[in-house]
Amino acid sequence: MLKRRIIPCLDIKDGRTVKGVNFLNLVDAGDPVELAKAYVEQGADELVFLDITATVEKRKALAGLVERIAAEINIPVTVGGGINSVEDVAVLIKAGADKITINSSAVKRPELISEIASQFGSQCVVVAIDTKLTDDGWKVFVNGGRMITPFKTVPWARKVEELGAGEIMLTSMNTDGTKSGFSLDITAEVSRSVNIPVIASGGAGTMQHFRAVFNNTSCSAALAASIFHFGEIDIRDLKKYLKEENIAVR
Amino acid sequence: MIAIVKYNAGNIMSVRNAVTRLGFESIITDKRDELAGADKVIFPGVGEAGSAMKYLKEKGLDETIISLSKPILGICLGLQLLCRFNEESGTQGLGIFNSDVKLFPPVDKIPHMGWNNFLTMNGELFKDISLNDDVYYVHSYYAEISSSTIATCDYIVPFSAAMHKDNF
């Protein structure tokens, strides 16, 4: 039986993990490789690395970091941040990324999704959608959530599927960082509206929140950052709990 | 020496890293003489069937691969390209295995993505592996079950998770 996935997300800046990290027994808690190894040890199903480095020049170091990560860990790795072209993707895949994720660049130029899919296969294209509930319903935001777009969330999700995306990473800006639980309504609606896997993101605060998103939506995976980084939830405990709640996890 | 076939896509590094972690030496190559000179060949995956096959043909590797008599391990798209017709871009495969490769019917999420288990398995390849072990899948197309099938998985339909014929 196909299992629901638990995915820690690491934000990378200038080659280091940002957002405070409070892991026990790490030699260097800011080193993404050390943190990645700790998550593999805990039973993470995949890892997502988002490079939030400001400048293109400094971002070139990302491929080197991906190489180090891929050499050390044996679960799938998705890498994103500042990907604008098939060439950018080629560098990361060659370095050892299993999938890549794009967000603003897909909104700016939707054909990029098809270009990447036709070269590397749909399975490696994860389109990230940042969404927020507005007076006009759920809308798509870009540039790290700073800029609203004309797109409504569900039609945009269908569009990226049609263009060849293999997976959608849906982040609710209404709940992101609040630890009040995933946005069940939009996650359910998007998951129902597309036939590709959806990763729920934004709002995880407790183990019950993971149960809720898996029981109330058809999402394939749930992603979180700070609750894992700060050791508030150990992935081993989370999976034990989900198994007891009859949710299929690895 | 293990040769890993280089072609126009694919996260070949993950295969190379795994081989290195297991303590073996490997090279990544698209040169015919290096493939011919290796002890074993890994034909890796992740990519799009049409563009992958085109690259192999340009390099003359399609003929090289089927002519080898040493052990050859196809992974993911590598396995699929060893089959017959592939519905992805209407691609003709190398025809080692007597199966076609088809798109999953759209009754559940596609790609089949994540950790799943084998439905059945047998053979030396699965020594020390149990049916309870988890296997990561990421694919929209599947190889049909045929006489070469040695392991199956069930997602939407039962399909070939592993195949074996001669040195392939």
Side-chain angles (χ1 to χ4, degrees), chain A residues 3 46 94 98 191 195, chain B residues 11 13 109-110 134 136:
Chain A
K3 317 286 167 69
E46 292 187 35
K94 191 162 171 259
D98 297 289
S191 303
N195 201 38
Chain B
N11 57 342
M13 280 312 291
K109 300 282 184 188
I110 304 170
D134 296 291
Y136 193 90

Side-chain angles (χ1 to χ4, degrees), chain A:
Chain A
M1 178 189 236
L2 185 62
K3 317 286 167 69
R4 255 56 189 270
R5 288 169 281 151
I6 302 295
I7 308 177
C9 177
L10 288 74
D11 285 348
I12 307 293
K13 193 175 183 194
D14 302 335
R16 307 278 295 171
T17 315
V18 293
K19 284 189 181 172
V21 173
N22 186 21
F23 245 152
L24 293 175
N25 304 324
L26 282 190
V27 178
D28 176 0
D31 179 10
V33 180
E34 289 297 317
L35 192 54
K37 281 160 71 178
Y39 283 135
V40 171
E41 188 73 17
Q42 283 191 9
D45 294 306
E46 292 187 35
L47 293 173
V48 171
F49 293 87
L50 292 181
D51 190 15
I52 57 168
T53 305
T55 66
V56 175
E57 196 49 45
K58 283 185 176 170
R59 204 181 281 136
K60 283 179 183 158
L62 182 62
L65 176 63
V66 172
E67 265 178 38
R68 284 177 58 222
I69 290 165
E72 293 278 350
I73 71 167
N74 58 1
I75 60 172
V77 172
T78 302
V79 182
I83 295 171
N84 287 304
S85 66
V86 171
E87 291 70 37
D88 292 343
V89 174
V91 169
L92 294 172
I93 299 270
K94 191 162 171 259
D98 297 289
K99 311 179 199 175
I100 58 84
T101 178
I102 52 176
N103 188 340
S104 307
S105 57
V107 171
K108 218 174 289 168
R109 208 170 63 80
E111 315 83 74
L112 179 61
I113 299 169
S114 311
E115 290 167 14
I116 301 170
S118 67
Q119 176 126 20
F120 300 99
S122 286
Q123 82 294 323
C124 93
V125 188
V126 183
V127 174
I129 301 177
D130 291 344
T131 185
K132 191 167 150 187
L133 186 58
T134 69
D135 293 340
D136 193 21
W138 287 93
K139 300 288 288 274
V140 177
F141 284 69
V142 291
N143 294 352
R146 290 188 297 272
M147 193 198 286
I148 192 168
T149 73
F151 300 110
K152 293 205 172 199
T153 305
V154 171
W156 173 243
R158 286 207 183 103
K159 170 94 173 164
V160 305
E161 175 183 28
E162 190 188 306
L163 288 169
E167 194 167 32
I168 288 172
M169 190 196 301
L170 182 73
T171 300
S172 164
M173 293 163 56
N174 291 70
T175 53
D176 197 27
T178 65
K179 296 189 184 177
S180 60
F182 295 95
S183 285
L184 300 180
D185 48 355
I186 189 63
T187 306
E189 203 184 341
V190 170
S191 303
R192 197 166 50 231
S193 304
V194 297
N195 201 38
I196 54 178
V198 172
I199 303 169
S201 158
T206 66
M207 299 203 279
Q208 287 74 18
H209 292 153
F210 287 89
R211 180 192 61 188
V213 81
F214 286 138
N215 278 342
N216 295 294
T217 82
S218 57
C219 73
S220 302
L223 177 143
S226 56
I227 52 158
F228 296 140
H229 298 338
F230 284 110
E232 289 165 33
I233 293 180
D234 186 302
I235 296 170
R236 280 171 289 226
D237 298 335
L238 173 60
K239 289 196 155 181
K240 185 163 171 280
Y241 165 78
L242 292 173
K243 276 181 191 165
E244 284 163 7
E245 296 290 327
N246 292 317
I247 293 166
V249 290
R250 184 169 68 108

